[in-house]
Amino acid sequence: MTATVSNTAATGTAQIGVTGLAVMGSNLARNLARNGFVTAVHNRSYAKTQALVADHSDEGTFVPSESMADFVASLARPRTAIIMVQAGTATDAVIDELAALMEPGDIIIDGGNAHFPDTRRREAALREKSLHFVGCGISGGEEGALHGPSIMPGGSAESYRTVGPILEKISAHVDGEPCCTHIGTDGAGHFVKMVHNGIEYADMQLIGEAYDLLRRGTGMTPSAIADVFADWNTGELDSYLIEITAQVLRQTDTATGKPLVDVIVDAAGMKGTGTWTVQTALDLAVPVTGIAEAVFARGLSSQSDQRAACSGLPGPDPSADAASFAGSDVGHHAGPDAESPAGPIEDIRRALYASKIVAYAQGLDLIVAGAREYGWDIDLGAVARIWRGGCIIRAAFLNRITEAYSASAPASLLLAPYFTAAVAAAQDSWRRVVAGAVSAGIPVPGFSAALAYYDGLRSSRLPAALIQGQRDFFGAHTYRRVDRAGVFHTLWGGDRSEIKTGD
C-alpha cells in the first residue's frame, strides 16, 4: 500500500484522522493505517507529517494535510478526528479550530491525558454545537500506541457506535477480546484512565519497596534481584511492570560498568495524573492511601537538598540494614509450619502481592464513587478486562478481578473470594515484612499504608468515635450514638449533659 497525497480527489476519503504527530500520535496513526483504516494525518509542522508518510507509507494508506481545513475536508462523514497534543490550553486551541470546521454529528476524540473535569466541560460545550466529544484514555506508552493499547473511551453511546469498531480493532487483544470498551458518558473515559495511572503509581512504588527490601534488607545485588523478579513474573505476580523491573535491574551502565540502577539519580518524576487521582479521592472522601503514599514518596525523592540535610538524622546503623532485617522475624514462621520457613524473599513477594491487591481495590472504589457522583454507568468487570493487555498495569490477576465483578458486585475487591483467600494467605508475611522494615529503618510507605488500610477495613470499631467526641467538644459538631437514633451534642462548657439536636 502507498500513501495518498492530499488533493481534491482525497476529499472525504479518510475514515479517521490524527492531528498531533509526536511519537504517540504518529504511532497511533500508524496503528490505524496498519489495521486497514484510511488515516488522515496532520501536524502543526508539516515537516512531521511529510516525514511520517515518507517513512511509513508501506504500512497503510495515509492522507496527509498541511492545513487543518484540508485535514477536516479529507475526512469522510461523520468526520472523526483524534487529537494527540499536549493536555491543557493546547488541547483547547485544537478543539476550537476543529469545531469551527466541523458539522453536526462529527466527532472529536481527545486521546491525551486530560483532566476529566476539562473533558466534561469540553463535552458539554461541543454538545451545544451538536458535535460529539470523546475523552479517550489510551494506555501503553509509545509501543502500545503502535502495537495495541488499552483504550478507555467516554462520550455518548451514539459516538461509540461510530468510533468503537475502529478503536476496538486497533486495541490490544487478550483471549480474542479487545482491550477497549465504552466506559461511560462525558468524562468517564478520562476518569478511569486517571485512576489507572494512580494505580500505576502505587504499583511502581510497591515494586520499588520490594527491591529496596531485597537490596538493603537481604544484601542482594541488582542482578540477583533481577532473577528474583523474573521468577516472580512466572507466578501470580505476572505483570508488565514486574517483567520490565527485571530488565532494568539487569542493565549495566556502559560508562561505569555499574548496575544502571545505581547511576540513575533517585528522584522520580511525575506528570500529574497521580496527583489528580489523590485530589479527586479527597473530594469524594475515598481512601486511596496506597496511591497517595506513592505520590508523596515521589515528592520526597525529589527533595534532594532536604534529604541531604537530613541524612545524618539518627536511625538504625545503615551498615546493619541487612543484618537488622534478616534478624527480624521476616522469613521465620512460628507455629505448625515452622519447619518450612518461607524465607525473606518469599515473605516480600507475598507482601508485594497483598499490597498490590489493596491498591487495585482502592482504585476500583474510587471509580465506583466517581460513577455515583457523576452519573456514569461503569462496569468494573469490563474495566478490569480492558486493562489485561496493552496498558502499563496489565497483569495476570486482572482476569481474577474481571471474574469477581462479573459474578457479583462486592462491596470491596477484598471481599471477592479469590482475593480474600489471597490476602489471608499473605498476611503473616506482610506483617513480618512491615515490622522488619520498620526495625531496620527501611521506608515502606506503600506496604505499611496498604496493611493499615486492610486492618482498618476489617476493624469492627475504629478510634473515630474519640475524634468525633473531640470535634463535638471544640466545635459542637455533634455525634450519633450506637444505641439510639438521632444527632446529639454534649454541653461541654456547661453541665455536660447531653441534648438531642436532630434526627
Side-chain angles (χ1 to χ4, degrees):
M1 289 180 284
T2 59
T4 304
V5 178
S6 180
N7 53 31
T8 305
T11 299
T13 61
Q15 295 162 279
I16 192 166
V18 178
T19 179
L21 300 178
V23 178
M24 280 290 291
S26 293
N27 282 1
L28 192 66
R30 291 171 59 195
N31 187 354
L32 287 160
R34 285 177 170 188
N35 277 280
F37 298 105
V38 179
T39 306
V41 287
H42 169 265
N43 193 74
R44 185 174 58 180
S45 166
Y46 189 47
K48 274 193 175 179
T49 307
Q50 291 173 308
L52 170 66
V53 174
D55 294 342
H56 304 289
S57 61
D58 59 333
E59 295 181 336
T61 303
F62 296 100
V63 183
S65 295
E66 186 168 3
S67 71
M68 187 67 83
D70 283 348
F71 172 71
V72 172
S74 72
L75 297 168
R77 290 181 174 84
R79 302 180 182 93
T80 302
I82 303 176
I83 299 172
M84 297 296 292
V85 300
Q86 187 175 7
T89 56
T91 298
D92 279 319
V94 176
I95 290 171
D96 290 344
E97 190 175 4
L98 277 171
L101 297 166
M102 286 185 157
E103 298 175 352
D106 289 346
I107 303 166
I108 298 174
I109 302 173
D110 176 12
N113 269 335
H115 199 191
F116 78 93
D118 289 336
T119 302
R120 299 187 76 226
R121 167 180 58 79
R122 291 162 179 159
E123 192 278 335
L126 291 181
R127 195 180 342 122
E128 289 292 318
K129 300 178 180 179
S130 299
L131 296 174
H132 295 284
F133 184 72
V134 176
C136 185
I138 300 176
S139 178
E142 298 169 4
E143 287 301 303
L146 180 60
H147 299 294
S150 175
I151 306 179
M152 295 153 262
S156 66
E158 181 183 350
S159 65
Y160 193 77
R161 284 193 288 272
T162 297
V163 303
I166 298 174
L167 298 179
E168 288 177 12
K169 188 169 183 180
I170 69 166
S171 73
H173 284 67
V174 176
D175 298 331
E177 296 182 308
C179 292
C180 173
T181 192
H182 183 226
I183 299 296
T185 55
D186 56 70
H190 276 144
F191 185 95
V192 168
K193 176 56 163 58
M194 175 193 73
V195 176
H196 163 285
N197 284 22
I199 294 172
E200 178 185 309
Y201 273 59
D203 209 344
M204 294 173 73
Q205 174 65 25
L206 293 169
I207 290 171
E209 290 177 18
Y211 156 75
D212 202 23
L213 289 168
L214 291 169
R215 186 82 187 268
R216 288 204 274 168
T218 71
M220 296 175 69
T221 64
S223 62
I225 299 171
D227 291 340
V228 169
F229 276 96
D231 179 62
W232 286 355
N233 198 49
T234 64
E236 59 190 4
L237 279 171
D238 175 11
S239 66
Y240 173 72
L241 286 171
I242 294 289
E243 175 189 346
I244 67 169
T245 297
Q247 295 184 40
V248 171
L249 290 173
R250 282 202 181 101
Q251 185 69 20
T252 299
D253 176 50
T254 55
T256 64
K258 297 178 180 179
L260 179 64
V261 72
D262 286 348
V263 299
I264 297 175
V265 174
D266 60 335
M270 47 187 170
K271 291 187 176 179
T273 48
T275 303
W276 290 344
T277 305
V278 177
Q279 290 170 334
T280 302
L282 289 170
D283 290 339
L284 297 176
V286 177
V288 292
T289 52
I291 298 170
E293 288 296 346
V295 172
F296 294 143
R298 290 196 189 190
L300 179 61
S301 77
S302 298
Q303 301 296 321
S304 54
D305 291 343
Q306 187 179 42
R307 287 171 55 211
C310 295
S311 62
L313 288 174
D317 181 355
S319 65
D321 280 351
S324 177
F325 187 74
S328 70
D329 289 333
V330 176
H332 300 284
H333 286 269
D337 59 346
E339 294 182 1
S340 302
I345 294 175
E346 176 61 11
D347 269 352
I348 294 168
R349 185 195 70 79
R350 292 176 183 176
L352 174 58
Y353 191 54
S355 299
K356 181 185 178 83
I357 290 169
V358 168
Y360 278 76
Q362 292 181 343
L364 293 171
D365 285 349
L366 181 55
I367 292 174
V368 170
R372 185 185 307 117
E373 176 72 14
Y374 299 110
W376 299 322
D377 182 16
I378 298 179
D379 181 343
L380 293 184
V383 169
R385 175 178 57 76
I386 69 170
W387 285 350
R388 294 182 302 164
C391 70
I392 303 302
I393 64 171
R394 59 185 182 267
F397 90 145
L398 282 160
N399 282 315
R400 296 290 189 174
I401 299 179
T402 300
E403 291 168 7
Y405 286 96
S406 296
S408 62
S412 166
L413 179 65
L414 293 163
L415 291 174
Y418 171 84
F419 293 103
T420 300
V423 173
Q427 72 157 322
D428 288 345
S429 292
W430 197 7
R431 297 181 192 285
R432 283 193 295 270
V433 167
V434 171
V438 170
S439 296
I442 302 173
V444 285
F447 279 14
S448 56
L451 179 57
Y453 172 83
Y454 175 73
D455 284 338
L457 201 61
R458 66 179 191 83
S459 295
S460 60
R461 186 97 175 139
L462 292 169
L466 174 59
I467 294 170
Q468 198 60 20
Q470 293 169 329
R471 294 182 73 240
D472 188 60
F473 190 104
F474 66 69
H477 291 295
T478 72
Y479 53 85
R480 292 185 178 274
R481 297 177 58 96
V482 298
D483 54 357
R484 59 182 184 270
V487 179
F488 299 89
H489 167 61
T490 292
L491 300 173
W492 299 102
D495 62 3
R496 299 207 171 184
S497 61
E498 182 180 74
I499 59 173
K500 186 175 181 181
T501 64
D503 296 323

